[in-house]
Amino acid sequence: MSITILGIESSCDDTSAAVIRDGFLLSNLISSQEVHREYGGVVPELASRAHQANIIPVVDGALKKAGVGIGEINAVAFTQGPGLMGSLLVGSSFAKGVALSRQIPLVAVNHLQGHVLAHFISDDKAQDHPSFPFLCLLVSGGHTQLIIVRKPLEMEIVGQTIDDAAGEAFDKCAKVMGLPYPGGPVVDKLAAGGNIHAFRFARPIIKGLDFSFSGLKTSFLYTLRDRVAGDPDFIAKNKADLCASLQHTIIEILLAKVEAAAKKFGVTQVAIAGGVSANSGLRKAMTELGDKHGWQVYLPQLRYTTDNAAMIAITGYYKYLAGEFSPLDIMPMARIPLL
Ligand code: KG4
Ligand code: ZN
């Protein structure tokens, strides 16, 4: 008998629904909320209202695109957290409604686990999946973690940021340059035309496998402040070089710890995941580092890097196979440990 899972993701500012059958993706619809752009960041109350407006059409669209009737769904998986409480409540309430009305199991999914397991989505593009155990660098707007993945549902965080996340470093520095939110993709594009050695920003000295980005952010801010004092057009004239140097520094900080973690745990399978794993510089540098060490490097398809319900559905599928179901009174959690 085939297993069909409906996945729902609503942790931040993307409303998404996906249908996965036996691990194969049939549909993955994402409605991104443009309303936050003018505020330079996500406004939680607006996000939750937009989720309410979007959730029914997005789920309906995902089912139609998959050619699957609601009666064919075996379980509904949803993002339990971490994320914005108002946003999580919309997806979790909707998922509960589906589970209750259809009398099917409810599966709560950790958003971070979803990002990692995005590597196991099968679709019409044939891609190799990592084999276990592997090391995953999870880099998003809210998290920066090094994770040893022993089995689909067995993960251990071995290093993480002690302050800002890598995506936050991109977004905050972009904001200082007057770039639109989210800044990561904009910096990525501008960096392509810049010199990575034009500016030098502070690198943290953090022992072990943890990361820190607050020093870099401050150093970036002070550089701009000092240079703009001498030339009001400094940012406009140097945007590409600033972006290239900033991106290069973030990548160096990340990869130094990836190298140390791979060595410490003796792994040769290395993956990246999360929104920042869409970064072209990181993807290139990761591939080069893999070549240097003889690692097998796994880069997620771009459509599975930022928030999406396909990753929630695939995690739901593994949890379904393991019989990990949730009661209907389960609550979303804004903060939640990986496992
Ligand atoms: O995984 P995600 O969609 O949401 C969270 O779970 O946080 O990640 C969003 C983050 C944002 O900080 C965004 O700027 C960053 O991913 N991002 C990028 C790129 N695309 C998205 N950062 C650098 N380069 C990119 N191409
Ligand atoms: Zn995410």
Side-chain angles (χ1 to χ4, degrees):
M1 194 191 92
S2 64
I3 306 297
T4 309
I5 308 286
L6 170 66
I8 293 172
E9 153 67 25
S10 73
S11 65
C12 190
D13 59 343
D14 295 301
T15 318
S16 181
V19 178
I20 276 193
R21 178 166 284 163
D22 298 330
F24 190 87
L25 186 70
L26 299 179
S27 66
N28 180 37
L29 259 63
I30 304 172
S31 168
S32 298
Q33 306 175 358
E34 297 301 321
V35 61
H36 308 287
R37 253 177 209 281
E38 64 181 289
Y39 301 97
V42 177
V43 183
E45 180 53 32
L46 295 181
S48 125
R49 284 188 221 171
H51 282 304
Q52 280 182 333
N54 295 340
I55 189 107
I56 292 176
V58 167
V59 171
D60 191 45
L63 288 170
K64 285 205 172 104
K65 179 136 193 272
V68 166
I70 189 81
E72 295 174 70
I73 299 294
N74 296 99
V76 53
F78 71 99
T79 304
Q80 188 193 6
L84 300 169
M85 184 47 92
S87 292
L88 292 166
L89 273 166
V90 178
S92 61
S93 308
F94 189 88
K96 287 178 188 184
V98 173
L100 184 64
S101 62
R102 303 302 314 169
Q103 291 293 301
I104 54 174
L106 181 67
V107 183
V109 169
N110 183 310
H111 181 83
L112 305 177
Q113 204 169 14
H115 271 303
V116 176
L117 294 181
H119 279 280
F120 295 89
I121 300 166
S122 297
D123 60 16
D124 43 11
K125 279 209 184 99
Q127 261 214 324
D128 284 346
H129 307 312
S131 50
F132 301 98
F134 67 93
L135 172 69
C136 186
L137 171 69
L138 170 55
V139 268
S140 72
H143 294 84
T144 297
Q145 298 174 331
L146 279 166
I147 302 167
I148 296 286
V149 188
R150 298 202 170 84
K151 289 181 191 165
L153 302 177
E154 198 181 308
M155 305 184 187
E156 183 191 350
I157 298 171
V158 296
Q160 58 191 319
T161 182
I162 57 167
D163 39 56
D164 290 345
E168 240 175 319
F170 271 108
D171 295 343
K172 287 181 177 170
C173 292
K175 194 171 180 179
V176 177
M177 285 186 279
L179 300 176
Y181 178 86
V186 188
V187 170
D188 190 354
K189 272 207 192 90
L190 289 168
N195 173 6
I196 57 170
H197 301 298
F199 300 98
R200 192 168 165 82
F201 305 115
R203 282 147 171 79
I205 303 169
I206 306 284
K207 278 201 191 129
L209 298 177
D210 287 340
F211 303 90
S212 165
F213 290 100
S214 67
L216 164 63
K217 188 182 62 188
T218 311
S219 151
F220 189 82
L221 186 69
Y222 286 177
T223 301
L224 292 199
R225 189 194 59 187
D226 296 347
R227 304 291 288 260
V228 167
D231 175 6
D233 294 330
F234 172 76
I235 296 178
K237 287 181 193 157
N238 295 279
K239 220 169 243 178
D241 283 350
L242 285 166
C243 288
S245 303
L246 169 69
Q247 181 169 298
H248 177 67
T249 312
I250 294 174
I251 293 169
E252 271 197 353
I253 296 171
L254 291 171
L255 294 194
K257 299 294 173 135
V258 169
E259 213 168 9
K263 192 169 171 204
K264 180 169 177 188
F265 292 94
V267 291
T268 54
Q269 302 263 318
V270 184
I272 55 175
V276 180
S277 70
N279 185 266
S280 57
L282 176 61
R283 292 170 84 90
K284 184 164 173 277
M286 192 68 218
T287 307
E288 286 166 2
L289 192 64
D291 289 345
K292 180 178 152 196
H293 290 290
W295 301 337
Q296 201 89 38
V297 169
Y298 297 90
L299 308 174
Q301 288 185 51
L302 287 180
R303 54 184 159 161
Y304 306 137
T305 54
T306 47
D307 292 346
N308 65 85
M311 68 188 202
I312 303 305
I314 190 73
T315 309
Y317 174 64
Y318 283 113
K319 293 189 99 169
Y320 183 95
L321 294 180
E324 290 188 24
F325 305 130
S326 307
L328 282 170
D329 63 355
I330 189 166
M331 288 302 290
M333 289 165 80
R335 289 171 175 275
I336 186 171
L338 185 59
L339 281 176

